């Protein structure tokens, strides 16, 4: 009886943990395809799960950070969804590729589609140029359901604090890519090391092959001598018998 109660309690506890873990992770998030390096361009995906079992997600609005505006934002078409890109005038113009940028994308809105209960949808964007003086970008998202419910994913997570109830999507930025010349030099150095290693390996293989060949010859000679010795012994025995 006690064993059954313990097993039941354990099962309930495990189910509770799984349920809480699923609830905590089911929010709008953003992840790059590959890396989002400082000063570069990246393709990022906003992942939108449907958290309701009686309504579908019908609208997503993503606001872009104003402290680090992005001059280039290009959405990838998502079947069944209409996309609206909103730009706003910058308080401080940006310099990009020798041009002065006075406006930047402030919001992207997806409508017309449907994310049904138990499903999720990804909304890809090509963005850049990513800032060089920041470790992350915070996007505020608003999710609208078919029953008119609105969930605002706008709370900025704080380091060392518990995750807020409705956290805003955060894009982590990686270190800027190294100098192309340095990369080439490093690549050349690695190639030289690889070549030297390959030559050494070839010499070792050749030496091993030579030693193996010598061993085989000596082995065959030994076998021949052994057989000859046996034959000589047999003949000698026959002569004595005769």
């Amino acid at each position: 009886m006690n064993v059954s109660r313990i097993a039941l309690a354990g099962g309930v506890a495990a189910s509770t943990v799984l349920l809480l873990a699923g609830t905590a992770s089911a929010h709008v998030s953003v992840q790059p395809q590959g890396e989002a390096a400082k000063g570069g361009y990246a393709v990022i995906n906003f992942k939108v799960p449907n958290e309701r079992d009686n309504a579908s997600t019908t609208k997503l609005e993503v606001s872009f950070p104003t402290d680090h505006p992005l001059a280039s934002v290009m959405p990838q078409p998502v079947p069944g969804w209409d996309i609206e890109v909103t730009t706003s005038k910058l308080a401080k113009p940006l310099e990009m590729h020798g041009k002065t940028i006075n406006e930047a994308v402030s919001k992207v809105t997806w409508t017309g589609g449907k994310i049904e209960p138990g499903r999720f949808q990804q909304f890809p964007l090509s963005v850049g140029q990513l800032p060089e003086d920041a470790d992350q970008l915070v996007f505020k998202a608003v999710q609208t359901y078919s029953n008119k419910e609105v969930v605002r994913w706008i709370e900025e997570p704080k380091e060392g604090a518990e995750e807020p109830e409705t956290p805003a999507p955060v894009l982590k930025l990686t270190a800027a890519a190294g100098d192309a010349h340095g990369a080439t030099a490093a690549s050349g150095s690695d190639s030289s090391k690889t070549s030297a290693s390959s030559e050494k390996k070839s010499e070792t293989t050749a030496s091993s092959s030579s030693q193996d060949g010598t061993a085989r010859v000596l082995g065959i000679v030994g076998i021949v001598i052994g057989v000859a010795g046996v034959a000589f012994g047999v003949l000698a025995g026959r002569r004595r018998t005769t």
Side-chain angles (χ1 to χ4, degrees):
M1 183 69 176
N2 290 335
V3 174
S4 299
R5 289 179 178 175
I6 292 173
L8 178 60
V12 171
S15 300
T16 303
V17 170
L18 290 174
L19 179 61
L20 291 176
T23 303
S25 61
H27 54 74
V28 177
S29 60
V30 60
Q31 291 293 334
Q33 292 183 12
E35 291 187 346
K38 297 178 181 180
Y41 290 76
V43 174
I44 60 176
N45 284 320
F46 285 92
K47 182 180 179 181
V48 183
N50 190 352
E51 295 186 302
R52 304 293 180 261
D53 56 8
N54 59 349
S56 299
T57 296
T58 57
K59 183 179 181 180
L60 174 69
E61 299 171 81
V62 174
S63 295
F64 284 70
T66 56
D67 55 342
H68 293 98
L70 301 175
S72 175
V73 176
M74 293 188 295
Q76 178 177 319
V78 180
W81 292 81
D82 298 321
I83 306 171
E84 180 182 355
V85 179
T86 304
T87 59
S88 299
K89 189 173 182 178
L90 297 175
K92 182 180 179 180
L94 294 175
E95 294 294 331
M96 181 176 292
H97 304 304
K99 295 182 179 180
T100 301
I101 307 298
N102 295 309
E103 290 185 339
V105 173
S106 56
K107 182 191 294 185
V108 177
T109 305
W110 290 267
T111 56
K114 182 170 63 175
I115 307 174
E116 298 179 348
R119 305 290 179 88
F120 76 91
Q121 178 68 55
Q122 294 195 66
F123 298 91
L125 294 171
S126 173
V127 299
Q129 188 172 356
L130 298 174
E132 298 180 354
D133 58 347
D135 294 324
Q136 64 182 29
L137 292 177
V138 179
F139 299 86
K140 295 183 179 181
V142 178
Q143 182 177 11
T144 303
Y145 288 90
S146 56
N147 61 1
K148 306 304 180 183
E149 179 186 3
V150 176
V151 181
R152 302 180 184 279
W153 305 97
I154 60 175
E155 296 182 78
E156 185 173 347
K158 302 295 183 182
E159 187 175 355
E162 293 185 0
E163 184 180 67
E165 186 176 352
T166 53
V170 177
L171 177 66
K172 300 291 184 181
L173 304 182
T174 59
D179 180 67
H181 296 291
T184 302
S187 177
S189 177
D190 291 342
S191 298
S192 299
K193 291 179 181 179
T194 304
S195 179
S197 176
S198 299
E199 290 178 2
K200 186 174 181 181
K201 186 181 292 185
S202 297
E203 292 175 358
T204 303
T205 304
S207 177
S208 299
S209 299
S210 177
Q211 292 176 1
D212 290 343
T214 303
R216 289 195 187 99
V217 172
L218 292 176
I220 294 172
V221 171
I223 293 172
V224 172
I225 294 174
V227 172
V230 172
F232 179 78
V234 171
L235 291 174
R238 287 180 179 178
R239 286 176 183 174
R240 287 174 186 163
T241 302
T242 303

